[in-house]
Structure formats: structure tokens, C-alpha cells
Amino acid sequence: MIISETHRYALIAMLVSAAAALQIIESPLPRIIPWLKPGLANVLTLYAIMRISAVAGLVVATFRTFVAATFLGTLFSPVHLISFSGAISATLVMVCVNYLFKSAGLATISISGAIASNIAQIMIVQIMFAGTISFWFHIAIMLWVAIPSGVIVAKLTQELLRRTANAKFNT
Amino acid sequence: MKNNDKSLLKGKFDLIFIVGLFLISFIAWFMHTISIQDKPVEYRIKTFADEPQTISFLVPPPEGLKVQGRIGLTHIEWNEKGQVRIAESACQNKTCVKMGWVNNSSILCVPNAVLVELIVKQNSEFDAVSQ
């Protein structure tokens, strides 16, 4: 149950700040493959979609990229645009999969979001810089990273949902 | 309460989805291993700083090349196999440097706005075609 609209806004604000913090912390961490990262901030976006609403998920995704970019010093730079496009497309795809495929588990929803995020980022890079990408190489690597990272994000979201199941901000 | 019953995997749909993705990824990797047989025939370096410029090489300079990007210098190197890498960059995360040697893809440094393109053409049994 929602206690009040203020309560809902406070929860969304908390999710935005936590997601931004995760994105900032994740940014300088070493990666197995240089240009791909697990996207732990998506845990909070997926949580917002499952727990509050699709709009809340979009709000969390949008504002967390702005907050993180402000602190990372990349606001309105190409890096921010790439991050923003990835976050928004991941959220939209996760919302669509959640509502269209009722038999989809959290892992499928999360992996779909990870793939959408990667495709959107590659497209933005292509549009902005017109580079020649190795199509098959990117597809293979993208899927190998999207599947485990999607499962990790889904597992963390499931745990978060379970631990906050009795909290008084349910809708 | 909204959708708190969500489990990680619900059934057949999830399994088919994930197995399908793995299959696609292995097919993609197989296609990639076929495509990397071709050596680059041209190298293009593009900078997108205040004054965008494009530099093209058929034979790259052995000593490497330093170009001015948006925030500083980017040092590009080649090896005898025709591979290219960004050895040094003024960017913060050095993602472009960590990519190492590549021979069939572009290297892009988004913060410094420098793109290193490798143009790979398929081998043809004809040198030229005339009418």
C-alpha cells in the first residue's frame, strides 16, 4: 500500500540516488572486457518497474544517468548520451517484456534489458562517430556478457524484492 | 503488492530464450572467426575535436602517430601483423588502451573523440574489372 504520494516520491528519489551511486562506483572498476560492464544500476531500475510502476522505472533510469554524469564530470558529453540511451532502452524493453510476456521470469526480463542497452549504445556510437564495427564479434561478446550480467541483476533484484516484501511502500 | 511473486526462471519460455541466445552467440563467434582472416588494407584516424580531421594510411608509419583529441593527445601504434592499438590516451578510464591490439574492428575513444578505423576488404580473385 502507498501511504502517500510523498512516500512514493521519496522512494523513487532513494532509488535514483542508490542507482546513481552504483553507476559511479562501477565506473572505474576493472572489467574483463574493456567496454562492457555488468550494469548493476539496472537492479534499482528493475526493482522500480516490478515494485512501483513502469513510469517509476523510467524516472529512475533517466535521473540516475544525470546524477551519475554530474558526479563523473560527463554531463551532456557523448559518454552521458551513450549511458542515457542504454539506460532508457533497457528500461523500455524490460517494461515491454514484463507486460507482454507474463511467463517471463526476472532473468529473461533483465537479460532483454542488457541486450537492448548494448544495442542502443552501439547504435548511438555508430551514429555519432560512423565507425566500422565488427558485427559478429560484437553480437557474440555482447550476448556472453549480457546473459551472466542479466542473471546477476535479476538475482539481486529478486533478493531486494524478497527482503522488502513487507515494507509499507507496496502498490 | 505488485509482481513480488517474480521468480528468476519461470519455465520453458525462459529456458528457450536463454538457450536461444547462447546458440546465436556461438553462431556469431563462428562467423567472426571466419571474417578475421582478412588483413586491413587501409587505416583511417578520425578526430572529432573542435577541428575534425581524417588521416588515412595504406602503409601506417612504423613509429606510430600522435593525434590531438578533445581533451589531449592519443598515441596510436601499429605492429608487423597489421594490427593497431591505442598505446596512450588522455582519457580517464583508458578503455581504448585496454582494448589492446585489434585487426578487424574500430577503436573508439569517446571522451577524447578519436576513432581508429580499419578498412578490411574481402579478397577477390580479380585485380580489377573493366568494361
Side-chain angles (χ1 to χ4, degrees):
Chain A
M1 128 190 107
I2 279 271
I3 294 173
S4 67
E5 278 300 300
T6 313
H7 196 157
R8 184 202 290 262
Y9 294 144
L11 175 63
I12 293 173
M14 199 177 71
L15 290 174
V16 169
S17 53
L22 276 176
Q23 190 175 338
I24 294 163
I25 292 164
E26 200 183 53
S27 175
L29 289 180
R31 300 164 197 172
I32 301 166
I33 298 154
W35 67 101
L36 290 171
K37 54 183 178 179
L40 291 177
N42 273 334
V43 171
L44 283 309
T45 308
L46 184 54
Y47 179 83
I49 294 168
M50 305 309 293
R51 200 57 186 270
I52 308 169
S53 66
V55 176
L58 280 168
V59 170
V60 170
T62 306
F63 282 94
R64 67 116 163 144
T65 59
F66 276 88
V67 174
T70 305
F71 280 92
L72 291 169
T74 58
L75 192 63
F76 301 122
S77 71
V79 178
H80 178 213
L81 182 61
I82 292 166
S83 161
F84 177 73
S85 64
I88 291 296
S89 49
T91 310
L92 287 174
V93 168
M94 287 194 294
V95 167
C96 289
V97 172
N98 185 37
Y99 283 94
L100 294 176
F101 303 100
K102 294 294 176 194
S103 56
L106 275 175
T108 299
I109 296 169
S110 173
I111 292 168
S112 309
I115 293 169
S117 168
N118 278 313
I119 291 173
Q121 291 185 6
I122 289 173
M123 281 173 70
I124 290 290
V125 167
Q126 283 291 100
I127 292 165
M128 287 172 71
F129 298 97
T132 48
I133 62 160
S134 173
F135 177 77
W136 294 115
F137 176 73
H138 278 89
I139 292 287
I141 298 293
M142 183 182 78
L143 291 177
W144 285 340
V145 173
I147 295 168
S149 67
V151 171
I152 291 167
V153 165
K155 183 67 194 164
L156 290 172
T157 309
Q158 187 192 33
E159 193 58 26
L160 204 57
L161 285 168
R162 190 183 67 78
R163 284 171 185 253
T164 57
N166 297 321
K168 288 183 179 177
F169 48 72
N170 298 332
T171 54
Chain B
M1 197 152 75
K2 193 182 177 214
N3 275 329
N4 284 337
D5 59 327
K6 277 285 180 188
S7 50
L8 216 57
L9 297 169
K10 274 189 172 176
K12 275 186 184 173
F13 178 80
D14 295 308
L15 281 176
I16 292 167
F17 179 74
I18 292 171
V19 171
L21 288 181
F22 267 115
L23 277 176
I24 294 169
S25 72
F26 284 113
I27 292 167
W29 188 255
F30 175 72
M31 297 301 288
H32 165 68
T33 52
I34 293 170
S35 70
I36 58 170
Q37 310 298 329
D38 304 309
K39 274 184 98 174
V41 292
E42 189 184 344
Y43 303 87
R44 272 185 216 150
I45 290 97
K46 293 180 183 173
T47 59
F48 301 86
D50 296 335
E51 290 177 19
Q53 57 171 332
T54 303
I55 308 161
S56 295
F57 295 107
L58 294 176
V59 181
E63 71 278 5
L65 180 74
K66 283 184 179 171
V67 291
Q68 179 65 42
R70 185 179 286 144
I71 54 174
L73 283 174
T74 292
H75 185 199
I76 302 154
E77 285 183 346
W78 287 265
N79 67 14
E80 64 282 355
K81 293 177 190 167
Q83 295 171 316
V84 65
R85 71 167 179 175
I86 292 181
E88 283 176 47
S89 176
C91 61
Q92 195 180 4
N93 286 343
K94 314 283 182 201
T95 305
C96 53
V97 177
K98 288 172 193 165
M99 278 190 76
W101 296 102
V102 300
N103 68 343
N104 71 330
S105 185
S106 302
I107 306 176
L108 174 64
C109 180
V110 176
N112 205 22
V114 173
L115 172 69
V116 182
E117 273 189 294
L118 281 75
I119 313 297
V120 180
K121 284 179 184 156
Q122 298 290 334
N123 291 331
S124 169
E125 55 184 302
F126 303 106
D127 292 332
V129 177
S130 63
Q131 286 186 320

